[in-house]
Amino acid sequence: MVIQKIAPEGRAELQKSITYGIEVIDRHRALEYLAKNRDNRHLINSWVRTLANRQKRDEWMFTGDPIRFDRDEWLRDGQHRLKMVEQPGLPLEVLVIRGLD
């Protein structure tokens, strides 16, 4: 899918490069996405463990909070959730947005 006509006049062309979709991310895909992690905030392992425990207790809920990639395909948001899946966790259904500034 492509987002169209949500930007002010003059920015519509840029917005055409933004794509989004729901993906099921397994361990293999999480590792692939984490390899694109650069210039992100510091990873907090205790938070990853907290998320993984929530997932194991079946307390994880889809909230629509996306995994975000910029126009150069670098990961900009979602490293903790991806790291949770990398652990012996379950696949994660999540919104993924690509092409952001």
Side-chain angles (χ1 to χ4, degrees), residues 17-93:
S17 66
I18 296 175
T19 61
Y20 64 93
I22 304 292
E23 295 184 19
V24 176
I25 299 176
D26 59 10
R27 185 175 191 277
H28 176 76
R29 178 69 46 96
L31 288 169
E32 177 185 323
Y33 286 175
L34 284 166
K36 298 176 181 183
N37 193 12
R38 178 177 85 171
D39 299 329
N40 217 320
R41 64 184 172 153
H42 181 69
L43 186 74
I44 303 170
N45 288 318
S46 62
W47 181 239
V48 174
R49 284 190 301 275
T50 297
L51 294 176
N53 286 332
R54 287 180 185 171
Q55 187 185 36
K56 288 175 189 174
R57 291 189 307 262
D58 200 27
E59 295 174 355
W60 186 264
M61 292 177 20
F62 178 82
T63 64
D65 190 21
I67 304 291
R68 295 176 179 94
F69 290 94
D70 66 19
R71 288 183 298 183
D72 297 322
E73 282 295 310
W74 291 108
L75 179 67
R76 293 299 173 199
D77 187 25
Q79 67 177 347
H80 288 90
R81 287 169 283 159
L82 292 169
K83 196 73 170 169
M84 172 189 75
V85 173
E86 179 195 0
Q87 313 270 323
L90 301 169
L92 177 67
E93 186 176 53

Side-chain angles (χ1 to χ4, degrees), residues 5-17 71 101:
K5 301 193 184 215
I6 62 166
E9 190 73 27
R11 297 223 0 128
E13 189 62 36
L14 175 62
Q15 294 299 319
K16 287 182 181 179
S17 66
R71 288 183 298 183
D101 284 340

